[in-house]
Amino acid sequence: SANNEFCNLLKDKHFVVTAGGTREAIDPVRYITNKSSGKMGYAIADALTKAGCKVTLISAPTNLQVPKNVNLVPVVSSSDMEKAVLNNFKLADGLVMSAAVSDFKVAKVAQQKIKKTAEDTFELKLVKTHDILKEVAKIKTDGQITIGFAAETENLLENAHKKLLSKKLDLLIANDVSRKDIGFNSDFNQVTVISEEEQLSIQKSTKTEIANQIVQLICRKVNK
Ligand code: CTP
Ligand code: CA
């Protein structure tokens, strides 16, 4: 089909895909995470593989089965993910950053399980994590493409545009995470894909279908 022919450009390209919600330890038995299921990232990894790409999937913990022919790099925290992404991106043609990376981590992880005290309140100090896409932007070369996601609950397109520019992305996939019927944990999604030249809405469909459409758009961005 026309689609398959179009996708020949992706054959043998190496993509790094990230997925899932990172976990930031509080103490040996507790952590901070988010609602990401990893489904969108796993669907993209699968779709890229089927388009002929070599895919390295850097995944935070999920309940998902690893797609066939995908090379899995399991990670837990945002700093683990950062190291794995920077290592693997160097030799890759592109990066799809679908992981929900923690914006903050615990300033001082307790070595022993934290005990209750007589106090009624407990304060946990958090510090910012590195923005992985901004680190990638610093080492990105002309031949490499980077794709990010924007999870927003308000001002979707305005915030998404800012992220496209500040992270030097080729494509930004904007996700309205305030809707209960799509996004986090759902098998469905509805996204708007933004580049510097255009803005394209993909109607509500399964994450598998959205992933296929995103791969078509990636194909258009890949250098011949
Ligand atoms: N991202 C990243 N490193 C981080 C945080 C986010 O690489 N420490 C990536 C995400 O994987 C995603 C994109 O940046 O592809 C946007 O993530 P999002 O949470 O929507 O935006 P942030 O830049 O973290 O800004 P904010 O959460 O404040 O809206
Ligand atoms: Ca964030």
Side-chain angles (χ1 to χ4, degrees):
S1 71
N3 274 356
N4 287 336
E5 216 154 321
F6 195 42
C7 259
N8 280 342
L9 289 173
L10 284 175
K11 199 167 175 317
D12 299 327
K13 292 277 190 286
H14 177 204
F15 271 81
V16 177
V17 178
T18 68
T22 60
R23 288 181 183 176
E24 307 305 326
I26 298 171
D27 70 11
V29 296
R30 302 183 177 103
Y31 56 82
I32 299 171
T33 191
N34 57 66
K35 289 190 181 180
S36 173
S37 64
K39 284 176 186 170
M40 198 62 243
Y42 276 55
I44 290 173
D46 192 30
L48 283 169
T49 305
K50 286 172 177 158
C53 294
K54 179 181 159 230
V55 175
T56 301
L57 175 61
I58 300 172
S59 180
T62 72
N63 294 319
L64 304 172
Q65 237 193 310
V66 180
K68 211 176 142 197
N69 298 324
V70 162
N71 170 33
L72 180 76
V73 177
V75 296
V76 178
S77 68
S78 60
S79 82
D80 295 344
M81 182 169 278
E82 180 184 9
K83 281 180 211 128
V85 169
L86 294 177
N87 264 331
N88 284 280
F89 181 71
K90 281 179 214 143
L91 294 173
D93 298 297
L95 168 68
V96 183
M97 196 73 200
S98 16
V101 184
S102 296
D103 294 331
F104 296 92
K105 64 181 179 184
V106 176
K108 200 167 175 290
V109 179
Q111 291 310 299
Q112 304 297 332
K113 185 182 169 222
I114 299 170
K115 301 298 274 183
K116 280 182 298 210
T117 66
E119 300 295 319
D120 280 338
T121 60
F122 177 80
E123 279 181 35
L124 198 57
K125 185 171 178 179
L126 305 179
V127 293
K128 262 192 186 158
T129 59
H130 294 164
D131 187 315
I132 301 174
L133 279 178
K134 283 189 181 166
E135 296 304 315
V136 166
K138 294 179 193 165
I139 61 166
K140 181 181 169 181
T141 62
D142 284 346
Q144 292 178 302
I145 71 166
T146 55
I147 295 120
F149 278 72
E152 308 291 348
T153 58
E154 57 181 359
N155 306 328
L156 181 74
L157 295 180
E158 189 194 328
N159 288 334
H161 259 287
K162 284 185 193 153
K163 286 175 187 173
L164 178 80
L165 299 180
S166 67
K167 296 172 195 263
K168 296 203 175 102
L169 301 172
D170 298 281
L171 289 176
L172 188 282
I173 297 143
N175 228 330
D176 180 348
V177 290
S178 66
R179 287 176 54 177
K180 290 239 161 62
D181 59 324
I182 55 169
F184 287 133
N185 226 337
S186 169
D187 287 326
F188 292 86
N189 210 350
Q190 197 274 308
V191 301
T192 302
V193 184
I194 300 168
S195 68
E196 276 199 72
E197 306 80 40
E198 58 186 347
Q199 186 171 306
L200 191 112
S201 280
I202 301 180
Q203 61 172 13
K204 184 180 172 185
S205 30
T206 62
K207 287 183 174 174
T208 307
E209 180 52 31
I210 302 249
N212 285 329
Q213 296 204 39
I214 290 171
V215 168
Q216 294 301 319
L217 294 172
I218 292 173
C219 192
R220 275 208 245 157
K221 288 276 171 190
V222 170
N223 282 332
K224 276 151 235 189

